[in-house]
Amino acid sequence: NSICNTTERDGWISFGQKIPSTTLENLYARTSYRTIASSINPGINKAIITGTPGIGKSLFLIYLLWKLVKDGKRVLFIYHPFNIYYDGKGGVFHFEDGQLPLDNDFSFWNDTLGCLFDAKGKKEAHLGELLVELCTFILSTSPNRELLNDFKKNPVPQVFYMPTWTEAELEAIADIFPGANQWCDRFVFLGGIPRHVLEVTAQDP
């Protein structure tokens, strides 16, 4: 619900509480986040957000949720373990697993709904329960997941490959990872993957 009370300043979005599944309260809005978000076709459409594990595909969904809610759009946000619906009018509703609106509820399932689905912790059956073909459906996943097989069928989805982080982007967020004082050296060996360069720093690269 804090998504409705965020502030944005100097490229950072502040939520005032921890972002789910992270230790972060602030989100750095990468240029690639803005580019991908503006390139997703509205209406009845499917899109896949993919790329190297550990680069922030799930956090992109948080960014996209913030943008859509700020713009007054209806959003169903499926982000383990949450199923949260934003009605576009300030209302926020939580659905239990298996308790989403019925398939024939076209006042809910229609082209004004954006569905953001994080594949982390999900299986193909979870995706099969949703009316992908009736809304704008954004799926965030690592490459080569089996659950993509049916999702890639017609209508063919847009596919966006999220780039790894540049050195300048990592420098912008390094201060929020206190243990990452040698991140520059790790970047040389491991590349622009925050999970390896900034978060998992107990071992030498």
Side-chain angles (χ1 to χ4, degrees):
N1 196 14
S2 64
I3 200 81
C4 303
N5 302 305
T6 56
T7 58
E8 182 185 15
R9 183 178 179 182
D10 298 330
W12 288 86
I13 302 167
S14 299
F15 294 92
Q17 63 185 58
K18 286 184 172 56
I19 298 169
S21 303
T22 78
T23 60
L24 307 175
E25 294 187 5
N26 303 309
L27 177 64
Y28 179 68
R30 301 179 66 195
T31 299
S32 59
Y33 287 3
R34 302 179 190 277
T35 300
I36 293 172
S38 65
S39 301
I40 295 172
N41 295 330
I44 297 176
N45 179 48
K46 298 187 297 184
I48 296 170
I49 313 299
T50 190
T52 305
I55 60 171
K57 297 182 296 296
S58 295
L59 287 177
F60 168 74
L61 288 190
I62 298 288
Y63 169 80
L64 188 55
L65 173 65
W66 165 78
K67 185 176 185 300
L68 292 171
V69 170
K70 183 169 67 76
D71 291 343
K73 305 297 185 182
R74 295 196 309 124
V75 184
L76 176 61
F77 186 57
I78 301 175
Y79 188 98
H80 184 77
F82 306 105
N83 300 310
I84 306 175
Y85 172 59
Y86 298 82
D87 68 359
K89 302 175 183 177
V92 183
F93 306 89
H94 295 254
F95 292 112
E96 298 295 330
D97 285 340
Q99 299 297 316
L100 292 174
L102 297 175
D103 291 1
N104 61 358
D105 184 354
F106 299 120
S107 65
F108 183 86
W109 300 104
N110 60 55
D111 61 0
T112 68
L113 176 69
C115 185
L116 310 183
F117 183 95
D118 184 19
K120 188 182 300 180
K122 300 292 187 181
K123 298 181 180 179
E124 195 168 4
H126 294 115
L127 189 58
E129 295 172 353
L130 302 168
L131 296 184
V132 170
E133 68 279 6
L134 294 182
C135 58
T136 302
F137 198 99
I138 315 300
L139 170 63
S140 170
T141 182
S142 295
N144 303 320
R145 286 286 304 276
E146 286 186 4
L147 58 75
L148 287 175
N149 293 339
D150 286 338
F151 192 77
K152 286 183 175 179
K153 295 178 180 178
N154 287 331
V156 176
Q158 293 179 278
V159 180
F160 299 95
Y161 291 91
M162 187 166 292
T164 54
W165 290 57
T166 65
E167 187 172 6
E169 287 179 318
L170 290 171
E171 183 177 15
I173 67 171
D175 286 347
I176 64 175
F177 296 94
N181 54 344
Q182 295 182 333
W183 71 267
C184 290
D185 294 335
R186 301 180 70 83
F187 173 74
V188 171
F189 287 99
L190 301 173
I193 305 174
R195 180 182 298 168
H196 301 321
V197 175
L198 298 175
E199 296 182 44
V200 184
T201 58
Q203 298 179 345
D204 291 334

